[in-house]
Amino acid sequence: DSDLTISPNTNQPCEQFVINKDLPYVKELYDNGDLLFFANTGVVNKNGMTRANYDRITQTRLFAHNTMQEETKKIDPYSTLAGSGVLGRLKDLVATKFNSVVNAIGIKYNSISLSGDPAKAISTLIVGGNGPIPFGNRPSKKETSELYFDLEGYVAELNSEQDAFSGIYGETWSETFISGIVENDRVTEYIEKDTVKLDDSIWELEPEEDKVYREFQTLSRLIQTRADRHVDRDMYTIEYGGWDHHDSTKTNLAEKLPVVNRNLKRLCEQLKEDGLWNNVTIVVASEFGRTMTPNSNDGSDHGWGGNYFVIGGGIAE
């Protein structure tokens, strides 16, 4: 394993912590001043909460994956803006206070972290892990005997402006559906341009590569389309699950951590080559930490606060 020493002047409770040996690029970023750790980070939404009374007074199920994942994405323990996420509120602020053009894009999944104030009307775009998925994508006439019909036209007519008896839910659905089709077509056009190109040497694939690399590729390509999309700021999310190792933790981590290390490196190196290293901030977070002592299955159980880290060329400044 690789040891990282914390200066005693930082008033930390310990002077040394360890990064797993399968995260060498994370250590390299830390050594270069391009990465910061946030240890034991979690949700406390009741003053005076301790180990002895948390189960009685806490407002959040601290050891449940679903609730803690949501809390990590929201970062709103007192429900100041219910239903919003940390990136969503940030995009609202950037758009309203600084008059910036902002996009919120989820890679493969939607995330509450991208949801802001509905009154600000900044929608979230969901892009497939392999890139935008055109609506109504179907084989050409030569490849099928099915009669062609104008699917897009029928959909537009069906979801057009309704009459006085239309409901708000139906109208909201139609507006979201049609805008999603239009946005996907627009992003598809941009991402297929010759100017959007990744460095093959950076994205060289390993044998039996985990498919999450495609999501990182899509993210890198979308970042390259920012000028065509005329945006000032983008908010993106990528999710990579499968870390609930209640048995054989070391064995399982040896399979998962290299995937994280490899794809973070690809993303960061592509940003550097594109001249964007100082313009992008990457936050890696999880719902909670794991117990230090193993259970009877050589696994680890649900712990308290999680360990986050933030990456970017502007951190050292």
Side-chain angles (χ1 to χ4, degrees), residues 279-297:
N279 300 88
V280 176
T281 301
I282 303 167
V283 181
V284 181
S286 66
E287 64 267 54
F288 43 60
R290 312 293 296 199
T291 53
M292 295 294 291
T293 53
N295 58 29
S296 58
N297 295 318

mmCIF file of all heavy atoms in Angstrom, residues 279-297:
data_model
loop_
_atom_site.group_PDB
_atom_site.id
_atom_site.type_symbol
_atom_site.label_atom_id
_atom_site.label_comp_id
_atom_site.label_asym_id
_atom_site.label_seq_id
_atom_site.Cartn_x
_atom_site.Cartn_y
_atom_site.Cartn_z
ATOM 1 N N ASN A 279 -9.932 23.986 -15.753
ATOM 2 C CA ASN A 279 -11.305 24.471 -15.876
ATOM 3 C C ASN A 279 -12.352 23.466 -15.399
ATOM 4 O O ASN A 279 -13.542 23.756 -15.469
ATOM 5 C CB ASN A 279 -11.598 24.824 -17.341
ATOM 6 C CG ASN A 279 -10.681 25.905 -17.870
ATOM 7 O OD1 ASN A 279 -9.599 25.600 -18.374
ATOM 8 N ND2 ASN A 279 -11.082 27.143 -17.758
ATOM 9 N N VAL A 280 -11.907 22.291 -14.970
ATOM 10 C CA VAL A 280 -12.844 21.236 -14.587
ATOM 11 C C VAL A 280 -12.548 20.768 -13.164
ATOM 12 O O VAL A 280 -11.385 20.588 -12.795
ATOM 13 C CB VAL A 280 -12.757 20.036 -15.561
ATOM 14 C CG1 VAL A 280 -13.668 18.907 -15.108
ATOM 15 C CG2 VAL A 280 -13.119 20.467 -16.982
ATOM 16 N N THR A 281 -13.611 20.588 -12.385
ATOM 17 C CA THR A 281 -13.487 20.034 -11.029
ATOM 18 C C THR A 281 -14.215 18.699 -10.977
ATOM 19 O O THR A 281 -15.377 18.600 -11.385
ATOM 20 C CB THR A 281 -14.093 20.983 -9.989
ATOM 21 O OG1 THR A 281 -13.425 22.249 -10.053
ATOM 22 C CG2 THR A 281 -13.946 20.410 -8.584
ATOM 23 N N ILE A 282 -13.531 17.668 -10.501
ATOM 24 C CA ILE A 282 -14.092 16.320 -10.408
ATOM 25 C C ILE A 282 -14.263 15.967 -8.933
ATOM 26 O O ILE A 282 -13.320 16.070 -8.150
ATOM 27 C CB ILE A 282 -13.163 15.287 -11.071
ATOM 28 C CG1 ILE A 282 -12.912 15.662 -12.539
ATOM 29 C CG2 ILE A 282 -13.754 13.881 -10.970
ATOM 30 C CD1 ILE A 282 -11.770 14.886 -13.179
ATOM 31 N N VAL A 283 -15.466 15.563 -8.563
ATOM 32 C CA VAL A 283 -15.753 15.163 -7.183
ATOM 33 C C VAL A 283 -16.123 13.682 -7.170
ATOM 34 O O VAL A 283 -17.015 13.264 -7.907
ATOM 35 C CB VAL A 283 -16.901 15.984 -6.574
ATOM 36 C CG1 VAL A 283 -17.165 15.552 -5.133
ATOM 37 C CG2 VAL A 283 -16.593 17.476 -6.645
ATOM 38 N N VAL A 284 -15.422 12.895 -6.363
ATOM 39 C CA VAL A 284 -15.715 11.467 -6.218
ATOM 40 C C VAL A 284 -16.268 11.256 -4.814
ATOM 41 O O VAL A 284 -15.594 11.547 -3.825
ATOM 42 C CB VAL A 284 -14.453 10.606 -6.441
ATOM 43 C CG1 VAL A 284 -14.786 9.127 -6.299
ATOM 44 C CG2 VAL A 284 -13.855 10.890 -7.822
ATOM 45 N N ALA A 285 -17.495 10.748 -4.727
ATOM 46 C CA ALA A 285 -18.155 10.621 -3.428
ATOM 47 C C ALA A 285 -18.877 9.280 -3.329
ATOM 48 O O ALA A 285 -19.187 8.646 -4.337
ATOM 49 C CB ALA A 285 -19.150 11.760 -3.226
ATOM 50 N N SER A 286 -19.147 8.848 -2.101
ATOM 51 C CA SER A 286 -19.935 7.645 -1.850
ATOM 52 C C SER A 286 -20.820 7.892 -0.641
ATOM 53 O O SER A 286 -20.667 8.898 0.061
ATOM 54 C CB SER A 286 -19.028 6.438 -1.606
ATOM 55 O OG SER A 286 -18.292 6.606 -0.411
ATOM 56 N N GLU A 287 -21.763 6.961 -0.390
ATOM 57 C CA GLU A 287 -22.758 7.224 0.641
ATOM 58 C C GLU A 287 -22.218 7.146 2.063
ATOM 59 O O GLU A 287 -22.578 7.942 2.912
ATOM 60 C CB GLU A 287 -23.954 6.287 0.487
ATOM 61 C CG GLU A 287 -23.671 4.795 0.690
ATOM 62 C CD GLU A 287 -23.351 4.099 -0.613
ATOM 63 O OE1 GLU A 287 -22.439 4.565 -1.304
ATOM 64 O OE2 GLU A 287 -24.005 3.085 -0.918
ATOM 65 N N PHE A 288 -21.349 6.179 2.344
ATOM 66 C CA PHE A 288 -20.756 6.082 3.684
ATOM 67 C C PHE A 288 -19.523 5.188 3.625
ATOM 68 O O PHE A 288 -19.266 4.514 2.622
ATOM 69 C CB PHE A 288 -21.745 5.531 4.732
ATOM 70 C CG PHE A 288 -22.572 4.360 4.288
ATOM 71 C CD1 PHE A 288 -21.980 3.167 3.895
ATOM 72 C CD2 PHE A 288 -23.949 4.445 4.281
ATOM 73 C CE1 PHE A 288 -22.746 2.091 3.503
ATOM 74 C CE2 PHE A 288 -24.730 3.366 3.891
ATOM 75 C CZ PHE A 288 -24.124 2.193 3.495
ATOM 76 N N GLY A 289 -18.741 5.215 4.698
ATOM 77 C CA GLY A 289 -17.541 4.400 4.768
ATOM 78 C C GLY A 289 -17.871 2.975 5.201
ATOM 79 O O GLY A 289 -19.028 2.585 5.331
ATOM 80 N N ARG A 290 -16.841 2.188 5.422
ATOM 81 C CA ARG A 290 -17.002 0.806 5.856
ATOM 82 C C ARG A 290 -16.283 0.598 7.182
ATOM 83 O O ARG A 290 -15.411 1.379 7.574
ATOM 84 C CB ARG A 290 -16.415 -0.154 4.813
ATOM 85 C CG ARG A 290 -16.831 0.104 3.392
ATOM 86 C CD ARG A 290 -18.295 -0.162 3.139
ATOM 87 N NE ARG A 290 -18.669 -1.559 3.316
ATOM 88 C CZ ARG A 290 -19.789 -2.088 2.805
ATOM 89 N NH1 ARG A 290 -20.629 -1.340 2.115
ATOM 90 N NH2 ARG A 290 -20.063 -3.361 2.996
ATOM 91 N N THR A 291 -16.670 -0.448 7.891
ATOM 92 C CA THR A 291 -16.038 -0.733 9.170
ATOM 93 C C THR A 291 -14.569 -1.104 8.973
ATOM 94 O O THR A 291 -14.202 -1.734 7.981
ATOM 95 C CB THR A 291 -16.753 -1.896 9.879
ATOM 96 O OG1 THR A 291 -16.818 -3.011 8.983
ATOM 97 C CG2 THR A 291 -18.162 -1.493 10.277
ATOM 98 N N MET A 292 -13.743 -0.700 9.917
ATOM 99 C CA MET A 292 -12.313 -0.990 9.842
ATOM 100 C C MET A 292 -12.028 -2.458 10.145
ATOM 101 O O MET A 292 -11.151 -3.067 9.537
ATOM 102 C CB MET A 292 -11.549 -0.107 10.828
ATOM 103 C CG MET A 292 -11.616 1.371 10.502
ATOM 104 S SD MET A 292 -10.768 1.771 8.963
ATOM 105 C CE MET A 292 -9.062 1.476 9.456
ATOM 106 N N THR A 293 -12.780 -3.037 11.067
ATOM 107 C CA THR A 293 -12.568 -4.440 11.428
ATOM 108 C C THR A 293 -13.417 -5.333 10.532
ATOM 109 O O THR A 293 -14.573 -5.007 10.224
ATOM 110 C CB THR A 293 -12.946 -4.691 12.895
ATOM 111 O OG1 THR A 293 -14.284 -4.215 13.119
ATOM 112 C CG2 THR A 293 -12.000 -3.936 13.808
ATOM 113 N N PRO A 294 -12.878 -6.473 10.091
ATOM 114 C CA PRO A 294 -13.630 -7.351 9.186
ATOM 115 C C PRO A 294 -14.716 -8.121 9.919
ATOM 116 O O PRO A 294 -14.657 -8.318 11.133
ATOM 117 C CB PRO A 294 -12.544 -8.288 8.657
ATOM 118 C CG PRO A 294 -11.522 -8.343 9.746
ATOM 119 C CD PRO A 294 -11.517 -6.971 10.360
ATOM 120 N N ASN A 295 -15.711 -8.566 9.154
ATOM 121 C CA ASN A 295 -16.711 -9.460 9.725
ATOM 122 C C ASN A 295 -16.263 -10.909 9.514
ATOM 123 O O ASN A 295 -15.148 -11.161 9.048
ATOM 124 C CB ASN A 295 -18.099 -9.196 9.122
ATOM 125 C CG ASN A 295 -18.111 -9.351 7.603
ATOM 126 O OD1 ASN A 295 -17.336 -10.125 7.037
ATOM 127 N ND2 ASN A 295 -18.991 -8.608 6.944
ATOM 128 N N SER A 296 -17.127 -11.862 9.813
ATOM 129 C CA SER A 296 -16.733 -13.273 9.743
ATOM 130 C C SER A 296 -16.544 -13.773 8.314
ATOM 131 O O SER A 296 -16.040 -14.874 8.100
ATOM 132 C CB SER A 296 -17.783 -14.137 10.458
ATOM 133 O OG SER A 296 -19.061 -13.948 9.860
ATOM 134 N N ASN A 297 -16.951 -12.966 7.313
ATOM 135 C CA ASN A 297 -16.809 -13.353 5.910
ATOM 136 C C ASN A 297 -15.664 -12.614 5.218
ATOM 137 O O ASN A 297 -15.631 -12.526 3.984
ATOM 138 C CB ASN A 297 -18.117 -13.077 5.160
ATOM 139 C CG ASN A 297 -19.265 -13.922 5.642
ATOM 140 O OD1 ASN A 297 -19.105 -15.110 5.896
ATOM 141 N ND2 ASN A 297 -20.427 -13.298 5.801
#
